[in-house]
Amino acid sequence: MAADLASYINRGTLQLIFNNPASAVPEPVLQCVQIKPLAGQQGSGERFRVVLSDIDSFVQCALASQTSHVVHEGKLRKGCFVRLKAFQANEVKGKKILILLGLEVLEELGECEKIGQPKTLEIKAEDAQPKSTTISSNGFYGIKPPETPNQQPLPSRSSQSHPGRGTIYPIEALSPYAHRWTIKARCTSKSEIKTWHNKNGEGKLFTVNLLDESGEIRATGFKEQCDAFYDIFHEGSIYYISAPCRVQMAKKQFSNLSNDYELTFETLTTVEKAEEQSGVPQVRFNFSNIGDLQNIEKDSTIDVIGILKEVGDTSQIVSKTTNKPYDKRELTLVDNTNFSVRLTIWGNTATNFDVPLESVIAFKGVKVSDFGGRTLSLLSSGSMNVNPDIDESHRLKGWYEAQGKDGAFASHASMADSMGAAGGRGDPFKSILQVKEENLGMSETTDYFTTKATIIYIKQENFAYPACLSPDCNKKVVEEEPGQWMCARCEKSHPRPEYRYIISVNVSDHTGQIWLNCFDDVGRMIMGMSADQLTELKENGAKAGEDAFQDANCKTWLFKCRAKMDNFQDQQR
């Protein structure tokens, strides 16, 4: 079995990649012999270290952020086989590494134990000095390097060198150990000039977000560099940025990007607008659904896309720390999870906002707050794109025109109220075992707690009740005659009811199981649809309704709970 699989591996290709890349296979097949998360990560996305073998040798590799999904999806596993589609060969502190920018897991080959006894790649004496890097698979930007007679870079048909600029690095490969480099990147965001005054003096700065096919990075220009480069950068344009330029650990409190590093422009840094304004992606989004915001940690930075449902007036607040006034405007967004969220924009973005209602807006770099449930705020380093020409925008617009325009939307604020989380109380986190051992909800007082658990069963019987259509009533109605639903509280008759959730779910964590009762807003989140829609599914076909319940199972949620002893028909429960 192993001998058969060994025939698929391009044996000896790792030596060629680093020492004679012109002779290397463009898209080599290798075996994955180890996968581990990178230690000390500060980015919002988990990164992984991979060891690949060609039977003769093995090499340490780092997965670029855009390829990490193969680990999360369970495709890249120890013992599997991969075809490298694009990569960067580097040498850091005398060690050879590969940055994996694109790969394909050959699932049809399965997995097996390590083939052969591969050894660490040997570093030749002539390789001790810094070398140009290499990208395989027909070139990262498709530009062939010029030949320079007095230099001996790694020969490669696909390394990206430009006269006067040196080797073009992908952003993902930048580190404090790389010195002579140039990146070709699009400016996706440019801040206003900010000034500061303190006991050490005064100054000014601006920041830009830079994007290429491998990733994103933030760059800052202080004082003289602010004067030199601010007018050069324009959002949407492509630039060559060349070292010397300091690469340092990113200050996450000031950035909405997942890169662990950031750039600081220096006196000799060069910035040049590219003549060819193509070959670099526009903006890379990683959208979170509005309905999932309750499961995203407070203060996280995310991207979100939605339909503009409401626009508030511009207002002004005064900062408690600086005593400076700030303009703000609140927007309401909805999406196909049937949830809405309030998003705040600031400064010139707020005062100059002039987007028609029902437009699709994509926001990059918004901060998640738990004020009143879940709200969003556009960071100064974030950006806004109206009706972007991307698949997510077209799908959202189609859904809204077909069914969302007349739909009802739940809000995270109302959900927080129903789950006992309003008011910023800060409920203690409890495991299910702690809830039982501490007898929460078994006394005369009401207990509040938060627990993280997975739904393992949902009762399908009596999952909803027919409710009154009168505002703020929600009492159960009774069908007295066909088309006449009577509410005893309002003493009104309605042609139809509005079904509202009242479901019981059994949830589990590593310590035990517990039953929870969930009302309408929470039920909408769990089921992903309104009770009216689910009732219609159940009435039209048993299988469709059962599938909806099945889809809601095995999902993990953060539940904010209220526990209280109740009396029903002279029985405590």
Side-chain angles (χ1 to χ4, degrees):
M1 176 68 176
D4 294 336
L5 292 172
S7 64
Y8 290 95
I9 297 177
N10 295 112
R11 191 165 185 168
T13 195
L14 292 176
Q15 288 286 357
L16 293 176
I17 286 173
F18 285 93
N19 299 317
N20 188 14
S23 302
V25 177
E27 296 184 357
V29 174
L30 303 169
Q31 185 185 22
C32 175
V33 296
Q34 191 180 76
I35 307 172
K36 286 185 177 181
L38 285 173
Q41 299 184 62
Q42 297 185 22
S44 59
E46 190 175 20
R47 301 277 302 282
F48 297 91
R49 178 175 65 85
V50 178
V51 178
L52 298 180
S53 164
D54 67 0
I55 301 178
D56 293 336
S57 308
F58 68 83
V59 67
Q60 304 275 353
C61 309
L63 278 180
S65 56
Q66 74 268 23
T67 59
S68 296
H69 65 90
V70 294
V71 179
H72 297 299
E73 294 168 1
K75 294 181 180 179
L76 186 64
R77 301 165 63 91
K78 183 178 179 181
C80 74
F81 299 84
V82 298
R83 176 178 286 112
L84 304 190
K85 310 292 286 187
F87 55 87
Q88 173 85 23
N90 267 358
E91 187 175 317
V92 178
K93 291 186 175 180
K95 293 183 179 180
K96 308 243 185 208
I97 64 168
L98 283 181
I99 307 293
L100 304 183
L101 304 168
L103 59 84
E104 173 190 1
V105 179
L106 304 179
E107 297 180 84
E108 66 274 13
L109 298 183
E111 303 164 17
C112 75
E113 294 296 321
K114 180 175 66 177
I115 299 176
Q117 296 297 323
K119 299 179 180 179
T120 306
L121 272 176
E122 295 181 1
I123 302 176
K124 295 183 179 180
E126 60 268 25
D127 291 341
Q129 66 272 20
K131 300 236 180 147
S132 300
T133 54
T134 300
I135 297 178
S136 75
S137 185
N138 300 320
F140 196 70
Y141 294 108
I143 302 172
K144 191 173 181 178
E147 295 184 5
T148 307
N150 296 327
Q151 295 182 351
Q152 294 181 344
L154 284 172
S156 169
R157 57 184 168 275
S158 59
S159 62
Q160 307 154 64
S161 297
H162 293 256
R165 298 195 187 100
T167 300
I168 299 295
Y169 271 55
I171 285 174
E172 192 73 35
L174 294 179
S175 75
Y177 309 108
H179 300 291
R180 294 184 59 193
W181 53 261
T182 296
I183 59 173
K184 181 184 180 183
R186 186 183 300 276
C187 173
T188 59
S189 175
K190 173 185 171 182
S191 74
E192 299 177 2
I193 293 178
K194 301 176 182 178
T195 59
W196 76 84
H197 304 269
N198 56 37
K199 61 181 181 180
N200 297 320
E202 59 185 38
K204 55 186 173 180
L205 64 87
F206 82 104
T207 61
V208 290
N209 289 349
L210 303 171
L211 166 75
D212 70 7
E213 291 183 6
S214 72
E216 295 176 271
I217 196 166
R218 180 175 180 261
T220 304
F222 292 93
K223 297 183 178 180
E224 292 82 4
Q225 284 66 50
C226 179
D227 294 331
F229 298 130
Y230 184 80
D231 291 333
I232 295 177
F233 282 103
H234 297 280
E235 290 186 3
S237 296
I238 299 173
Y239 299 87
Y240 292 108
I241 298 100
S242 300
C245 182
R246 189 161 73 250
V247 183
Q248 60 192 27
M249 295 302 297
K251 299 178 179 66
K252 293 297 182 181
Q253 68 270 33
F254 302 120
S255 176
N256 64 314
L257 305 182
S258 61
N259 201 319
D260 288 339
Y261 297 114
E262 63 183 14
L263 304 177
T264 299
F265 298 132
E266 297 183 339
T267 304
L268 298 180
T269 301
T270 60
V271 177
E272 180 184 353
K273 188 172 182 179
E275 294 180 3
E276 65 283 4
Q277 291 290 306
S278 61
V280 178
Q282 294 288 335
V283 180
R284 178 177 287 112
F285 292 102
N286 184 21
F287 292 120
S288 298
N289 292 328
I290 294 176
D292 295 335
L293 292 179
Q294 200 66 33
N295 298 317
I296 297 176
E297 291 185 6
K298 174 182 176 291
D299 295 330
S300 297
T301 301
I302 63 169
D303 303 338
V304 69
I305 186 170
I307 301 287
L308 181 63
K309 196 70 173 176
E310 297 176 5
V311 178
D313 295 329
T314 305
S315 59
Q316 197 172 80
I317 63 170
V318 178
S319 170
K320 294 180 179 178
T321 55
T322 64
N323 289 324
K324 291 183 178 180
Y326 291 93
D327 295 313
K328 59 176 286 192
R329 187 193 296 265
E330 292 185 350
L331 314 177
T332 300
L333 300 179
V334 300
D335 70 3
N336 53 6
T337 60
N338 293 317
F339 265 83
S340 67
V341 68
R342 189 172 75 251
L343 187 149
T344 304
I345 55 178
W346 303 87
N348 290 335
T349 305
T351 54
N352 299 330
F353 187 83
D354 187 24
V355 178
L357 290 176
E358 301 185 346
S359 298
V360 177
I361 309 183
F363 290 91
K364 183 171 185 63
V366 295
K367 184 178 180 180
V368 179
S369 168
D370 62 355
F371 180 75
R374 277 294 186 269
T375 55
L376 303 174
S377 178
L378 181 63
L379 298 172
S380 59
S381 58
S383 60
M384 178 181 74
N385 198 331
V386 179
N387 294 322
D389 187 14
I390 56 177
D391 291 343
E392 293 89 345
S393 175
H394 301 316
R395 283 197 297 268
L396 200 57
K397 192 68 174 179
W399 159 81
Y400 187 76
E401 293 295 338
Q403 62 187 69
K405 183 177 292 188
D406 300 320
F409 298 94
S411 72
H412 291 286
S414 60
M415 196 194 92
D417 292 341
S418 67
M419 299 179 85
R425 183 173 45 246
D427 305 330
F429 187 89
K430 302 287 184 181
S431 69
I432 291 177
L433 180 61
Q434 289 175 315
V435 172
K436 293 180 177 180
E437 288 181 342
E438 296 175 18
N439 293 319
L440 297 184
M442 302 299 290
S443 63
E444 295 182 358
T445 59
T446 302
D447 294 313
Y448 298 90
F449 64 91
T450 299
T451 189
K452 187 175 184 179
T454 301
I455 296 174
I456 58 176
Y457 182 73
I458 304 174
K459 283 186 178 179
Q460 298 189 29
E461 302 81 13
N462 303 320
F463 66 87
Y465 72 94
C468 178
L469 290 175
S470 299
D472 302 322
C473 180
N474 298 333
K475 290 295 183 180
K476 184 176 180 179
V477 294
V478 178
E479 187 176 25
E480 295 184 335
E481 296 181 14
Q484 291 189 12
W485 294 79
M486 188 64 186
C487 175
R489 178 184 178 183
C490 299
E491 297 183 349
K492 292 181 180 179
S493 179
H494 301 282
R496 61 175 181 83
E498 177 191 21
Y499 282 91
R500 296 178 63 84
Y501 284 112
I502 180 167
I503 57 177
S504 295
V505 298
N506 190 239
V507 301
S508 173
D509 67 6
H510 65 288
T511 66
Q513 301 176 13
I514 196 172
W515 283 96
L516 300 176
N517 293 322
C518 306
F519 297 102
D520 192 59
D521 290 322
V522 183
R524 285 173 179 262
M525 284 195 71
I526 292 174
M527 301 305 303
M529 64 182 74
S530 68
D532 276 330
Q533 292 170 313
L534 184 54
T535 301
E536 185 178 354
L537 281 181
K538 293 276 285 184
E539 290 175 350
N540 292 340
K543 187 177 186 310
E546 290 175 2
D547 289 345
F549 281 97
Q550 189 63 34
D551 290 342
N553 272 326
C554 301
K555 292 184 178 179
T556 302
W557 297 86
L558 192 66
F559 294 96
K560 296 189 176 182
C561 307
R562 181 183 67 181
K564 183 180 180 182
M565 183 66 70
D566 198 6
N567 290 292
F568 182 72
Q569 294 182 349
D570 297 327
Q571 291 185 348
Q572 284 189 333
R573 62 177 188 177

